[in-house]
Amino acid sequence: MQLMKAKGLPARSTSAIRLGGLLLVCLLPLSCDTGTFDPFDNGERYFTLFGYLDERESEHTLRVIPLSRFPAEITDPSEPQASIDGVVTSTDVRTGVVTRWNHRLDRLDDGNYGHVFRGRFQVRPGRTYRVEITRNDGKVTAAETTIPRFPVTVPDPDTLFFPYEVSPDSALTQEVHLPGIVSPWEIYLDYDLQGTWVRVPYGRSGSRTEDGWKITVELNRDAVKMREVLGIPPGGRLPLLHAISISVRALDDSWDPPAGEFDPEVLAQPGVLSNVELGYGFWGGIGSYIYTWRAPGLN
């Protein structure tokens, strides 16, 4: 009985798949070459899928692997498994609008080919989207995701920000509280220096709180980055700092990994993280949060 592995992403990916390329491969069962599975020992499951919807994108990408007795790897477009018995649609659960996704056999980063579907539409925060892969015999693999929605009102500064602190080595820091954000993927700080914005990536730094996420903004460290970007010598005077903007790309609640840790060795194990009905894999959603506040000068 043939065991299967899911490997690789399209070599010519869209921005929607580039963001989480490595993350998606490592989060999902059947990936990262960490394990194999026998589809015929797992009841009625028809496809493995992985992808996500991004609030900032209008084109979305979904990788689909049929569960069959054929090998998962497609080394040549002429092979039988290069064709797929499956139609992909997604539905906005609130409005009932259905979008049919277009199929293409793409070359993957490991040199093999894979079934990649693309759908063009704008997703809305707070809405739930259901994707379905339907075979000719009517068998369906499905998954749902809800795009994170964050408050648009101005937060209360007394609860959003903690006081500035000066460490013994004169480093200036400030803790920022982000309520409602359970699982950030990317965090950026943008500094407004007299109309010139400098972006400093913070990744997934910080820690979880009872009602959200908290990060420590390291103003002196970021000033070094600002000087590099603006071509100012070390210790040179920076333009007047007007404001700081924090932007977060956050994952939907179902994408939150166990114990809040993105450990590929753990998450790649089958059954650890999956929201697919009658199949394997994961389909998630990404939302955006932006807030700007006044900040002290760094000169």
Side-chain angles (χ1 to χ4, degrees):
M1 187 171 291
Q2 177 68 46
L3 299 183
M4 302 173 60
K5 295 182 182 179
K7 301 190 298 181
L9 291 172
R12 297 176 59 86
S13 302
T14 64
S15 58
I17 204 166
R18 281 198 302 269
L19 168 66
L22 177 60
L23 175 63
L24 282 173
V25 173
C26 292
L27 282 184
L28 302 171
L30 335 178
S31 60
C32 290
D33 289 335
T34 58
T36 60
F37 73 98
D38 182 347
F40 306 106
D41 288 340
N42 292 277
E44 292 189 343
R45 300 176 188 266
Y46 311 114
F47 297 95
T48 293
L49 63 90
F50 46 91
Y52 55 86
L53 298 177
D54 190 333
E55 179 187 349
R56 295 185 181 181
E57 302 291 341
S58 58
E59 182 177 86
H60 313 279
T61 308
L62 184 73
R63 171 85 187 278
V64 177
I65 302 174
L67 300 180
S68 71
R69 296 181 182 273
F70 288 111
E73 290 82 4
I74 305 172
T75 60
D76 190 278
S78 64
E79 295 176 346
Q81 60 268 40
S83 63
I84 185 170
D85 175 11
V87 173
V88 173
T89 60
S90 61
T91 303
D92 182 328
V93 173
R94 178 184 298 180
T95 64
V97 173
V98 177
T99 300
R100 178 161 175 166
W101 294 45
N102 296 317
H103 170 257
R104 195 169 73 187
L105 190 70
D106 277 2
R107 192 98 184 216
L108 308 179
D109 56 7
D110 63 359
N112 292 321
Y113 294 85
H115 298 289
V116 179
F117 289 81
R118 290 175 173 83
R120 283 189 168 274
F121 56 97
Q122 198 71 44
V123 300
R124 304 298 179 189
R127 296 206 185 167
T128 298
Y129 296 86
R130 180 176 179 84
V131 65
E132 294 185 343
I133 309 166
T134 306
R135 296 194 321 196
N136 286 330
D137 62 4
K139 303 294 187 181
V140 177
T141 292
E144 290 188 0
T145 184
T146 299
I147 307 302
R149 186 187 191 102
F150 305 109
V152 294
T153 57
V154 176
D156 180 357
D158 293 335
T159 60
L160 185 65
F161 307 115
F162 293 81
Y164 293 103
E165 296 182 359
V166 180
S167 67
D169 59 358
S170 299
L172 183 63
T173 64
Q174 182 183 27
E175 288 189 347
V176 180
H177 181 210
L178 303 171
I181 294 180
V182 176
S183 186
W185 166 241
E186 290 181 319
I187 302 173
Y188 293 96
L189 271 292
D190 292 284
Y191 293 88
D192 179 8
L193 300 163
Q194 290 185 320
T196 299
W197 287 89
V198 176
R199 168 161 285 194
V200 179
Y202 271 69
R204 188 183 155 85
S205 63
S207 60
R208 184 168 300 165
T209 65
E210 291 184 358
D211 62 344
W213 198 264
K214 180 175 67 177
I215 70 166
T216 299
V217 177
E218 301 183 32
L219 297 169
N220 290 73
R221 185 202 66 178
D222 294 352
V224 174
K225 177 67 173 179
M226 296 178 215
R227 291 187 176 93
E228 291 177 356
V229 172
L230 297 176
I232 299 174
R237 187 175 181 83
L238 284 166
L240 180 65
L241 175 65
H242 291 301
I244 303 175
S245 179
I246 186 168
S247 59
V248 183
R249 305 193 79 182
L251 311 177
D252 70 70
D253 292 348
S254 67
W255 202 343
D256 189 39
E261 296 295 332
F262 280 97
D263 183 349
E265 293 300 321
V266 174
L267 297 174
Q269 302 305 313
V272 173
L273 185 66
S274 181
N275 62 349
V276 178
E277 305 166 11
L278 301 181
Y280 295 96
F282 191 85
W283 199 51
I286 299 176
S288 299
Y289 175 90
I290 299 177
Y291 184 73
T292 302
W293 74 96
R294 297 173 63 87
L298 299 180
N299 296 311

